[in-house]
Amino acid sequence: MSDFKIIFVSGVHGVGKSTFCSRINQIFGLPFYSASSLIKELKNSAVDVNKQVIDAEENQDYLIIALNNLKPQSETILLDGHFCLLGDKEVIDIPIKTFKSMQIKSILALHDFPETIHQRLLERDGKSLSIETINELQTRELELAEFTSFQLGVKLQTISHEQTLENLDWIEMHM
């Protein structure tokens, strides 16, 4: 793995990971990357508009390769991504080996009300997952954030959408 550490910013589609990372970039100058963009760029393919993943494990291999190819001018980066994804009919957990392959320094798990995420996705994408599916994904995402934090021995901070800028001290401490 490369010489930089990763602050992993997790959450379901539409929770505000990119917006949050952009704010942190403006405040602290930390470069940020989207796991799905890194995968897509390396694979040279589009992400399914329904947010469904065909081959989650292969995609994670692409992510690790893409991270190994990064050369940021910073000791720490923000990486927005997921601990689980929506498959054809079920929630797919990202294997723990993916996260063990990264140099994760800390985890920030974003969450919001499923109804708010649903509305945000409708406004942004013109369609959304059901509120029940968002709730199921978000619950699993938070469970896996906790599990991964424990497995890797790294700090975890869960942040609701309203609290994102209240956690600047924690972020600065874990950069």
Side-chain angles (χ1 to χ4, degrees), residues 72-111:
Q73 300 297 312
S74 176
E75 292 179 15
T76 304
I77 68 165
L78 298 167
L79 178 64
D80 99 31
H82 306 278
F83 288 112
C84 64
L85 298 164
L86 184 61
D88 185 31
K89 300 218 187 276
E90 75 284 338
V91 174
I92 301 169
D93 295 351
I94 303 298
I96 190 69
K97 72 176 185 167
T98 298
F99 302 102
K100 287 181 177 180
S101 298
M102 299 178 197
Q103 292 190 27
I104 294 181
K105 187 176 196 172
S106 58
I107 298 170
L108 296 170
L110 304 184
H111 61 94

Side-chain angles (χ1 to χ4, degrees), residues 105-133:
K105 187 176 196 172
S106 58
I107 298 170
L108 296 170
L110 304 184
H111 61 94
D112 204 347
F113 296 109
E115 297 80 8
T116 304
I117 295 169
H118 176 76
Q119 188 60 40
R120 196 177 295 127
L121 287 169
L122 282 175
E123 291 168 6
R124 183 185 81 187
D125 301 339
K127 61 183 183 175
S128 179
L129 301 169
S130 71
I131 292 171
E132 295 79 21
T133 300

Side-chain angles (χ1 to χ4, degrees), residues 29-46:
L30 289 178
F32 71 94
Y33 302 88
S34 160
S36 61
S37 293
L38 291 171
I39 293 165
K40 182 171 49 169
E41 185 178 310
L42 195 59
K43 284 180 75 171
N44 198 21
S45 65

